[in-house]
Amino acid sequence: MMPWSRAYRNAQKHPNTFIFSIGKTDKRLTSFKWVSDFYTVQDAIYKQTARTDIDISNPDDIDRYNIALSRNDVSLDRLNIEHDYANVYLVTNQTPPVSGLLSPLKIIQ
């Protein structure tokens, strides 16, 4: 096991490398040989329930808030977010940012 971003970089550089699991995007289609679709996921954005001022109705609304995403996460591609956005923090582990949000959490889908 290794951090996601390192696994992703290794798979790009070294042939015969297997990643379980990886999100399939148009940007990644030609970079890898895809074995099978095991499952689908739905992205979610978490916020504190008490933060009624946060309203995200479409991807453009994300620009108004600070967000943390894993490096090389499929969400970056899906939301068309570049790494140099001032409000985007790339992390190696999602646990600390999520833990940093005080309970209770609300999932926005």
Side-chain angles (χ1 to χ4, degrees), residues 50-74:
R51 292 290 309 269
T52 57
D53 60 309
I54 297 176
D55 181 29
I56 299 176
S57 302
N58 64 65
D60 293 332
D61 294 337
I62 293 171
D63 292 341
R64 300 182 308 196
Y65 307 102
N66 291 330
I67 61 172
L69 293 168
S70 295
R71 296 182 190 284
N72 296 313
D73 189 79
V74 69

Side-chain angles (χ1 to χ4, degrees), residues 4-5 8 12 19 21-29 32 34 37 39-45 59 62 67-83 88 90-91 94:
W4 165 248
S5 187
Y8 183 74
Q12 289 177 307
I19 297 180
S21 69
I22 181 172
K24 189 188 294 185
T25 65
D26 291 341
K27 201 173 186 180
R28 294 178 177 177
L29 279 176
F32 301 101
W34 298 91
D37 292 338
Y39 59 92
T40 59
V41 297
Q42 182 176 3
D43 294 323
I45 297 173
I62 293 171
I67 61 172
L69 293 168
S70 295
R71 296 182 190 284
N72 296 313
D73 189 79
V74 69
S75 298
L76 293 166
D77 290 343
R78 287 188 184 139
L79 296 171
N80 198 26
I81 295 174
E82 298 296 327
H83 68 280
V88 176
L90 300 179
V91 297
Q94 280 288 346

